[in-house]
Amino acid sequence: NAANVTDPPKPTPADLAFSFMNVGLTSVGSAANSLRHVLVRKRRWVTEMEFAELQGLAQALPGAVGANCAVMLGDRLAGPLGALAAVAGLVGPSLLVAVTLAGVATRLAAASPRFAAAETAATAAVAGMMLANGLRLIGLLWRESPDKRAAWRGARLAVSGLGVLLVTGFHVPMQVALIVLVAVSYAVELRRRATGPAD
């Protein structure tokens, strides 16, 4: 269910720093699941639909998705200082942990080839988490679309399918695929608005 963002008080930069630190320290591979849990369910700073829009915009921009979300949401909720605090909380503590673990993992992999198999297992786990998050967002777009006509909701989902086809099927570079997808999405939205509201 969508959160009621009018209930919680406006966060301070310290609130943003600690919340995004929680995200950074509990994320594996992708921060999407942790971001949703902290921002939507726990803190209730954004609704499900607002989070989906934030994620979409963050993925279309250069850089890490989690950091893009931190900058945009931190600035929206607490201004430039909030953006800085959110990014510092997201990146700082998790960077220290990652550097330490990477050093330990490198030494273990050099000592025994059996430890190298853990990298493959972690990759498979992260891929499953990202797939689950993608399917959840697809369901959210279908249920909470502002236009309830099935044709237009289907058109939005088709854009997502086009992205998968371009990148995995035709091996189009990600930057080019993003430009194509933004253009197609814009065309779909213009056409939808031209047809008028649903009856």
Side-chain angles (χ1 to χ4, degrees):
N1 294 327
N4 182 2
V5 295
T6 62
D7 291 338
K10 186 176 180 180
T12 64
D15 293 331
L16 289 165
F18 282 113
S19 295
F20 277 94
M21 181 176 66
N22 185 7
V23 172
L25 292 176
T26 57
S27 301
V28 180
S30 171
N33 290 319
S34 294
L35 280 170
R36 176 176 175 267
H37 174 73
V38 172
L39 302 181
V40 179
R41 300 177 67 88
K42 186 176 179 181
R43 292 293 190 171
R44 295 182 296 158
W45 287 335
V46 291
T47 65
E48 288 276 13
M49 198 63 187
E50 288 170 337
F51 176 72
E53 293 170 352
L54 186 71
Q55 278 281 100
L57 184 57
Q59 290 175 0
L61 293 172
V65 174
N68 290 341
C69 287
V71 170
M72 290 187 290
L73 190 64
D75 183 66
R76 181 193 302 178
L77 297 175
L81 186 59
L84 182 62
V87 173
L90 178 71
V91 176
S94 57
L95 178 63
L96 294 176
V97 172
V99 169
T100 302
L101 292 179
V104 173
T106 301
R107 288 185 174 84
L108 289 176
S112 174
R114 288 183 293 182
F115 288 106
E119 183 178 345
T120 302
T123 302
V126 170
M129 291 171 58
M130 295 182 71
L131 179 60
N133 188 60
L135 292 174
R136 184 191 62 78
L137 288 176
I138 286 174
L140 181 63
L141 286 173
W142 182 266
R143 293 191 309 271
E144 299 195 17
S145 172
D147 193 318
K148 298 303 181 183
R149 290 173 290 187
W152 294 114
R153 288 188 291 177
R156 288 192 182 93
L157 297 185
V159 173
S160 302
L162 175 62
V164 174
L165 182 63
L166 288 175
V167 175
T168 61
F170 295 103
H171 305 289
V172 175
M174 184 65 72
Q175 297 87 342
V176 177
L178 281 174
I179 293 172
V180 172
L181 293 174
V182 168
V184 172
S185 298
Y186 187 66
V188 168
E189 289 303 311
L190 285 179
R191 180 61 180 165
R192 182 188 67 83
R193 293 184 182 186
T195 61
D199 295 331

